[in-house]
Amino acid sequence: MLLDPRAPIMSLKPVFSDEADFRLLNDFQRDFPLMTRPFARIANDLGVTEAGVLSRLTSLREGGTVSRVGPVFSPRRIGASTLAALKAPPEHLEETAAVVSAHPEINHNYAREHEWNLWFVVAAPDAVALARVLREIRRETGCPVIALPLREEYHIDLGFDLAGKGRTTTQVSYGPVTPEVLTPAEVAIMQVLQSGLPLISRPFASVGNSAGVSESEVLSTVRDWVARGIVKRFGVVVRHHELGYRANAMCVWDVPDDQTNALGERLAAADGVNLCYRRARAEGWPFNLYCMIHGHDQAEVREQLAKIVAQCELADFPSEVLFSTRRFKQCGARYVAEKSTND
């Protein structure tokens, strides 16, 4: 069952049918086999049949635990994107969220505990299209909107270690990044792939058929994207709420610009931090250092945050903790407009 956006996030429970389901979700969030029959390779690793893997993934996707199987594109490497926030009248939150979510460029849309109570991510083909979406949302909702573009990446992975082993490395990217210019064939492949692989025996052949290129060209393109960093990871994309991470907090600090990188690297390396980055400030929003912490409940997140603040010496900086309360939309970023059904 997909998440009812009207339901509190705290009501969800994780579901694992067996060890094979767990491994499928945990082991293949990255290092997905980029080959003609990837699900057959996964089946061999799990000791089950290819049909069994496809059936499990289909069930997990239909149940909401799996968002898709496919690429997670790196922010700033293609197109244009930004985190944005909106002040919606609390009594009109749901209808305002519906207006925002109706834009195909919106891939995440969450309510959070703050006067800036609706937070969403916009991804578009370029900066002009991005600005247009933000203008339309301001006009359609009549609400104040701020844009908070990414400036530095200290750790952005978007995977969830379900085995509890933690991570040993962080991923740092400093300074401005020039978006890649894709060929027409790459754009066609991305247009099909951004919503995920079809769950069939030869998914890349199907992608190629829809994009008008060969299966081998799809595979070589995806491998090249991974090598160039356009794709941060390729694999099973899970929804953390359905996996038991029912509380997630966006933690922000206002730190001096000349200290942000040093503090960001330290924060990114702390246990329990899933995402860590620097964003631009905005009028009415002075914060520039961010991290995300996910836990099974708010008490667990607050306990972890207290340890992180002490470890990283962040207690003296102005800060806020914004817990999610509702999820209105969560899907992969759409950097290329979807094909019209009339095409």
Side-chain angles (χ1 to χ4, degrees), residues 65 110 160 238-248 294 327 330:
T65 301
Y110 282 74
F160 282 84
V238 300
R239 289 190 171 102
H240 57 268
H241 303 140
E242 283 81 349
L243 289 170
Y245 296 88
R246 296 179 295 274
N248 79 81
H294 295 77
R327 181 181 69 195
Q330 182 185 0

Side-chain angles (χ1 to χ4, degrees), residues 87 116 145-148 281-286:
K87 285 184 182 179
W116 291 101
V145 176
I146 52 173
L148 305 162
R281 296 180 172 92
E283 184 177 352
W285 186 257

Side-chain angles (χ1 to χ4, degrees), residues 256-273:
D257 289 338
D258 61 358
Q259 298 182 43
T260 310
N261 287 345
L263 289 168
E265 288 186 32
R266 192 183 308 170
L267 182 60
D271 287 342
V273 171

